[in-house]
Amino acid sequence: MPRFMSLIRIDEQAAAGFEPDPGFDERMGALFEEISMAGVMLETAGLAPTAQATRVHWSGGKLSYTDGPFTETKEVVGGYAILQCKDKDEALEWANRFLRVHPESWSVTCEVRAIDEATG
C-alpha cells in the first residue's frame, strides 16, 4: 500500500496569533483517533518554530549555515504526517478532513506527496 507525506504549511508569524476555538482539541483528537484506528496514520508531529532551526545550504562546493527565524519565508512547514493509504484520493480525503477541523479564520495548507518507494 502506498505511503504519502502530508506537509502542513503555515504562515508562522500569522499562526502565532491564532487561537483555537473551544472544540478544536476535541475535534482534532477524534480525527487522530479515527485515522489511527483505520491504520492510516503511521506518524505525525508538529515542528518547532523556525527560530530554533538552522538551514544548511550546499552551493559551489561549499556549505553555509543560516540560523532561523527565516523571516524572508512567508510559508513554512509547521508539521507533517506519514499516511498509508490505498491511493492518492484517500490521502487527499484525510487531508481534507484534517483541514476542516481547523477554525475558518485560520489559513493552513496541506501538501500531499507520494513517498517514492524506490528511494524511501
Side-chain angles (χ1 to χ4, degrees), residues 70-92:
F70 310 119
T71 55
E72 75 283 358
T73 304
K74 175 122 174 99
E75 200 174 64
V76 300
V77 176
Y80 72 94
I82 297 177
L83 310 174
Q84 189 166 12
C85 301
K86 66 180 184 242
D87 55 26
K88 187 175 181 181
D89 287 339
E90 182 184 9
L92 291 171

Side-chain angles (χ1 to χ4, degrees), residues 35-52:
I35 196 170
S36 296
M37 295 295 286
V40 171
M41 179 77 74
L42 300 179
E43 182 178 337
T44 188
L47 300 176
T50 62
Q52 300 171 24

Side-chain angles (χ1 to χ4, degrees), residues 31-70:
L31 178 64
F32 277 16
E33 183 175 342
E34 182 181 353
I35 196 170
S36 296
M37 295 295 286
V40 171
M41 179 77 74
L42 300 179
E43 182 178 337
T44 188
L47 300 176
T50 62
Q52 300 171 24
T54 301
R55 288 184 177 161
V56 183
H57 183 73
W58 173 257
S59 180
K62 295 184 180 183
L63 288 172
S64 63
Y65 299 84
T66 306
D67 290 330
F70 310 119

Side-chain angles (χ1 to χ4, degrees), residues 31 89-102 110 112:
L31 178 64
D89 287 339
E90 182 184 9
L92 291 171
E93 177 58 31
W94 285 112
N96 181 312
R97 292 184 61 194
F98 172 79
L99 290 174
R100 289 181 179 278
V101 166
H102 294 78
C110 184
V112 176

